[in-house]
Amino acid sequence: MNCYFNPVQTIQGPGCLARLPELLHKLPQDQRRVLVIAWSEEALQHPVLAALLAPGCEFEGRSLVFTASNPTVEQLFDTWESTRDFAPNVVIGVGGGTILDVAKSLCCLYGCPLKDTDDLRARIAAGGLKPAARWIGVPTTAGTGSEVTCWATIWDPEQDAKRSLESKENYAWAALVDPELAQGMPVRLAVSSALDAVAHAVESYWARSTNAVSRALALEAIRTIMGNIDDLFSGSIEAHDAMARGSMLAGLAFSNTKTTACHSISYPLTMHYGIPHGAAVALLLAPVLALNAPAVQDPDALMDALGVNSAAMLQRRIAGLLIRSAQPASLEGWGVVHSDLAHLAGLGITKGRADNNPVTLTPDCIEAMLESIYCMDAVPCMR
Ligand SMILES: [Fe+2]
């Protein structure tokens, strides 16, 4: 029987970033060096962050803008090198999953005398990294759930690998999930991020490592997102609030189960073809549902939360959302070369994800799933 544990203090709702100073005032007077990592200069202009970084402020603040997506080993090393002398007590990540993953990773690296990027690779692979600072997650895209998980994805294109920096001692001190920060984001990013969160919840629900708490959180996350995702196209704050809430619940669910086949198979699609993470996992949800359905406990509850009655209906629903948000709904549409499918299928079995799927994955069954989402004709739009 699997147990559930998550220590992150979660604060969610419109305007909740205003609670940040209240949190920071709990820091001892001699531990008030604060590093803010944001995805843009504009994000740093938010009044709460600007006040924190103002000269003469009671906190010693520094800021850093990190614009890349899918952080690499080299980028993480460079960021660590440029901030290690400051040695922050708290790192605040303001942005999407990339920013939060960089923020939490840095906390585990400040105590390390890293020599170079190979040394960093070796330490990530060895595991056992302990945080020397604490971090606060402020997600600006509702999707990754990174604010409530204790692992970070670091990409390593030079070695054709995806690495996971993980420490159960490195959960966030707090997560401030403010949907006002997501307002105005491009609708295609909002939709793909929301579908990534749906995948986190669905995969948590059927994972081999699932548990009763994660399953309950997962169903509520799926209902919240799928019941409100169409309202993202109007850009309403209510829709963004629902996505932020659902994404956080999904994060809490999969923080204890990790993901399964959709994520495992999606990684080479992102690494080799640049398909955005949310779109890649969304494309895989329906075929993996069809594969897993016989092994899912209480599949009716899952279908009910998704608002569909079959995998085919889910495929049409997701295709409709992708196309409506100006994103291809097939691998062909994303530029994947058909003759690469067998190779991509072989790369889709990743440790810790594929072996967490309730049905055993083989290269052949993955290739069949990739084939099923390859052609535009296979996924007609539903509007
Ligand atoms: Fe994801």
Side-chain angles (χ1 to χ4, degrees):
M1 189 178 296
N2 299 314
C3 61
Y4 182 89
F5 171 77
N6 192 303
V8 180
Q9 178 181 184
T10 53
I11 305 170
Q12 197 275 322
C16 74
L17 184 55
R19 302 273 301 273
L20 181 62
E22 173 189 322
L23 265 176
L24 295 175
H25 277 113
K26 294 177 181 170
L27 291 168
Q29 291 288 346
D30 61 346
Q31 293 182 28
R32 295 195 164 186
R33 286 190 307 282
V34 178
L35 173 66
V36 182
I37 304 180
W39 63 280
S40 72
E41 286 290 350
E42 189 185 347
L44 292 169
Q45 303 308 312
H46 188 288
V48 172
L49 300 177
L52 178 63
L53 296 166
C57 168
E58 62 195 297
F59 301 99
E60 188 181 350
R62 297 273 173 85
S63 65
L64 180 77
V65 172
F66 190 95
T67 56
S69 57
N70 302 329
T72 65
V73 173
E74 287 79 8
Q75 290 163 344
L76 178 60
F77 181 84
D78 290 346
T79 307
W80 166 80
E81 199 167 41
S82 68
T83 57
R84 65 175 166 170
D85 289 342
F86 178 55
N89 305 110
V90 178
V91 179
I92 302 173
V94 184
T98 288
I99 299 292
L100 303 192
D101 282 2
V102 170
K104 74 171 80 167
S105 297
L106 286 173
C107 290
C108 280
L109 301 181
Y110 287 127
C112 295
L114 295 173
K115 291 196 289 282
D116 51 31
T117 51
D118 283 338
D119 192 19
L120 174 55
R121 283 186 183 95
R123 284 175 185 269
I124 293 174
L129 287 165
K130 306 284 186 204
R134 41 187 164 180
W135 67 281
I136 296 173
V138 183
T140 59
T141 59
T144 70
S146 179
E147 69 276 10
V148 290
T149 68
C150 67
W151 59 76
T153 298
I154 306 299
W155 300 79
D156 196 353
E158 194 178 290
Q159 299 197 357
D160 202 12
K162 182 192 75 69
R163 304 186 184 279
S164 184
L165 196 157
E166 180 173 347
S167 167
K168 286 202 164 54
E169 295 170 47
N170 197 30
Y171 278 102
W173 180 24
L176 293 164
V177 185
D178 186 342
E180 289 181 357
L181 304 178
Q183 270 199 306
M185 71 191 288
V187 72
R188 61 186 291 161
L189 179 57
V191 168
S192 63
S193 299
L195 291 173
D196 182 26
V198 171
H200 295 155
V202 170
E203 294 183 77
S204 177
Y205 185 81
W206 66 37
R208 290 189 187 196
S209 56
T210 197
N211 61 79
V213 176
S214 287
R215 286 166 61 83
L217 288 165
L219 289 179
E220 184 58 22
I222 297 164
R223 269 192 294 271
T224 301
I225 295 172
M226 294 306 284
N228 294 280
I229 194 168
D230 294 287
D231 294 334
L232 274 180
F233 293 92
S234 68
S236 72
I237 184 64
E238 289 80 12
H240 284 293
D241 191 30
M243 297 306 111
R245 197 167 60 249
S247 169
M248 187 184 73
L249 292 172
L252 289 166
F254 94 114
S255 70
N256 275 243
T257 66
K258 296 198 171 170
T259 53
T260 63
C262 302
H263 274 69
S264 182
I265 301 167
S266 79
Y267 293 131
L269 299 177
T270 296
M271 193 175 305
H272 291 274
Y273 282 98
I275 304 178
H277 175 67
V281 293
L283 286 172
L284 288 157
L285 259 176
V288 175
L289 172 62
L291 176 77
N292 286 349
V296 176
Q297 182 189 337
D298 198 356
D300 291 346
L302 179 60
M303 292 295 199
D304 183 64
L306 286 164
V308 301
N309 56 27
S310 67
M313 187 174 174
L314 178 62
Q315 192 164 15
R316 292 194 298 274
R317 171 82 166 123
I318 288 173
L321 288 164
L322 289 172
I323 290 170
R324 197 173 161 202
S325 57
Q327 301 179 79
S330 69
L331 296 181
E332 183 183 43
W334 283 104
V336 175
V337 176
H338 189 266
S339 57
D340 277 0
L341 292 189
H343 179 61
L344 291 167
L347 295 173
I349 297 180
T350 54
K351 193 169 178 298
R353 304 294 190 272
D355 49 15
N356 193 29
N357 196 61
V359 173
T360 301
L361 296 176
T362 64
D364 284 348
C365 84
I366 295 175
E367 187 175 352
M369 287 192 280
L370 294 177
E371 187 72 60
S372 77
I373 56 172
Y374 184 76
C375 179
M376 293 291 271
D377 296 337
V379 281
C381 174
M382 186 180 82
R383 299 185 62 170

